[in-house]
Amino acid sequence: HYTSILILCVVRWAEKLDALTATATQDPEGFLGHPVNAFKLMKRLNTEWGEVEDLVLKDMSDGFISNLTIQRQYFPNDEDQTGAAKALLRLQDTYQLDTQIISSGDLPGVTTGLPFKSTMTVEDCFELGKIAYSEADYYHTELWMAQALKQLDEGEESSVETVTVLDYLSYSVYQQGELERALNHTKRLLSVDPEHQRALGNLKYFEYQLAKQKKAEKEQSVKEESKKEQEKTVGKGEYLPEKRKYEQLCRGQGVRMSPRRQRRLLCRYYNSNRHPFYIIGPVKQEDEWDRPRIIRYHDIISEKEMEKVKELAKPRVSSTFIHIQIFI
């Protein structure tokens, strides 16, 4: 009976992966160019593959186990999966994308109706939130745990339990100083699992801290509070971190620059201190910004050279899919 269940699990996983690779191998570059696909592929070949390995290693022939071990070396590892997740989070921040947009696969600039458009399941959202949590990135932990919870509330079937998602969600919200919201998530968790020990402890702690916070707020005068808020507003207006500047530039929202500063932005030919190679073919430079200094280089690589780079990279991109197909 155990063997039958084992075989069924592996067959279902293989069928799902077979359908995926059939689509991906038609256009590996286009498929992996979609960041959701890249993350899901890393997750499938690292986390999910490890789960399949655990199953089959319990009751299979030596030949099968040997083949399994050989193929594993070609697959992504934890570092690859974390890297794909971080890339997705950077994309989300830079272009200010909602988690629902990413989860549905409807990214700006991606043509609708593509065969390799991919959506994210509750497990995918939960895994992305866990990776953010492991990096102490509670902001993104909250976003993706909330998305996982939303999809669960909408009726999506998943092996991830609502209690587990709420546990991560309440703690990540608390770490950002949102005591009242953390308390609400904890209360909902206890409504699902009244015996959850950590949630019971958190409930008392959050209630105590919230009462303490409200008492402190009442002791402050309205005048002092208003003054502090005004100071904060002025401070925020004057301070614009470099990270926000580059994100605005990526979105095409240029930060305003005075005409005097603009006149100092120039274009030039650069020869790297008269390097022989660049004397023959100097590089075109264009000033994009002065503080911090940002320079755009034009025509560094030709269309022909770019196609050559793609040609050299494609076998590496395709190799993973080929090894999967061979194994299946």
Side-chain angles (χ1 to χ4, degrees):
H1 178 68
Y2 172 79
T3 304
S4 299
I5 295 174
L6 173 64
I7 292 172
L8 181 62
C9 290
V10 175
V11 167
R12 285 178 179 173
W13 191 87
E15 286 175 348
K16 184 169 67 173
L17 197 59
D18 197 28
L20 174 72
T21 53
T23 303
T25 49
Q26 294 175 12
D27 182 10
E29 184 180 343
F31 179 83
L32 292 177
H34 195 299
V36 173
N37 288 335
F39 169 69
K40 285 174 69 75
L41 178 68
M42 296 298 174
K43 174 176 172 288
R44 186 170 288 112
L45 295 181
N46 183 46
T47 304
E48 294 181 15
W49 180 265
E51 293 169 359
V52 173
E53 273 187 331
D54 290 340
L55 282 172
V56 299
L57 289 175
K58 292 177 182 176
D59 187 16
M60 280 293 171
S61 66
D62 292 340
F64 186 85
I65 292 174
S66 176
N67 189 27
L68 186 74
T69 306
I70 292 170
Q71 298 302 325
R72 186 68 176 91
Q73 65 182 308
Y74 300 108
F75 292 170
N77 54 28
D78 289 340
E79 186 177 349
D80 297 320
Q81 183 176 334
T82 300
K86 287 182 177 179
L88 198 53
L89 297 179
R90 282 196 301 271
L91 185 78
Q92 180 180 15
D93 287 347
T94 299
Y95 293 98
Q96 299 179 335
L97 300 177
D98 185 76
T99 50
Q100 179 61 41
I101 291 175
I102 299 175
S103 181
S104 63
D106 296 322
L107 298 179
V110 176
T111 307
T112 56
L114 289 174
F116 43 75
K117 173 187 170 182
S118 185
T119 58
M120 295 180 71
T121 63
V122 170
E123 287 87 350
D124 295 329
C125 297
F126 179 72
E127 186 65 30
L128 201 53
K130 273 180 59 180
I131 290 172
Y133 179 85
S134 68
E135 299 287 322
D137 180 359
Y138 301 113
Y139 169 71
H140 287 109
T141 302
E142 179 197 349
L143 291 181
W144 285 101
M145 290 301 170
Q147 181 62 31
L149 184 63
K150 178 176 180 288
Q151 292 178 208
L152 282 170
D153 289 343
E154 290 172 351
E156 182 179 325
E157 293 185 6
S158 172
S159 59
V160 179
E161 296 181 349
T162 301
V163 168
T164 307
V165 176
L166 283 167
D167 196 14
Y168 277 98
L169 186 56
S170 63
Y171 185 74
S172 62
V173 170
Y174 161 71
Q175 284 292 337
Q176 296 176 81
E178 298 283 347
L179 280 170
E180 194 160 356
R181 289 176 57 220
L183 180 61
N184 291 336
H185 288 311
T186 303
K187 286 179 178 178
R188 181 179 173 185
L189 191 162
L190 288 169
S191 71
V192 180
D193 182 4
E195 302 300 321
H196 196 286
Q197 292 301 309
R198 183 165 51 251
L200 287 169
N202 287 344
L203 180 68
K204 293 179 181 179
Y205 178 75
F206 292 157
E207 286 177 336
Y208 168 75
Q209 289 294 332
L210 190 59
K212 185 178 176 181
Q213 184 184 78
K214 288 181 177 180
K215 183 180 178 181
E217 288 173 356
K218 287 180 181 179
E219 292 174 353
Q220 294 177 348
S221 67
V222 176
K223 186 177 180 179
E224 289 175 339
E225 189 67 21
S226 176
K227 184 179 179 181
K228 287 181 180 180
E229 288 299 320
Q230 288 177 356
E231 289 174 353
K232 287 181 181 178
T233 304
V234 172
K236 287 180 180 177
E238 293 174 348
Y239 177 65
L240 188 61
E242 290 183 9
K243 183 174 185 292
R244 285 180 58 196
K245 286 184 181 180
Y246 104 78
E247 288 178 353
Q248 286 180 330
L249 287 171
C250 287
R251 294 193 299 268
Q253 301 170 350
V255 184
R256 290 185 179 181
M257 180 183 289
S258 67
R260 183 177 181 182
R261 287 174 63 189
Q262 285 181 337
R263 285 195 297 270
R264 294 175 180 172
L265 303 182
L266 305 172
C267 296
R268 69 187 67 80
Y269 284 104
Y270 177 71
N271 60 25
S272 187
N273 293 324
R274 300 188 62 78
H275 188 285
F277 181 80
Y278 291 112
I279 290 176
I280 297 172
V283 177
K284 297 176 184 177
Q285 277 188 350
E286 178 185 359
D287 292 333
E288 290 282 357
W289 203 255
D290 54 353
R291 296 187 304 271
R293 192 183 184 199
I294 302 174
I295 297 174
R296 184 192 298 271
Y297 289 91
H298 294 273
D299 303 328
I300 290 295
I301 185 170
S302 66
E303 290 289 337
K304 185 177 179 181
E305 289 169 328
M306 283 190 280
E307 291 303 318
K308 185 63 178 179
V309 171
K310 291 180 182 179
E311 181 186 334
L312 293 171
K314 277 182 180 178
R316 295 178 179 272
V317 175
S318 303
S319 64
T320 298
F321 298 116
I322 292 169
H323 285 297
I324 295 168
Q325 288 180 315
I326 291 171
F327 180 74
I328 292 174

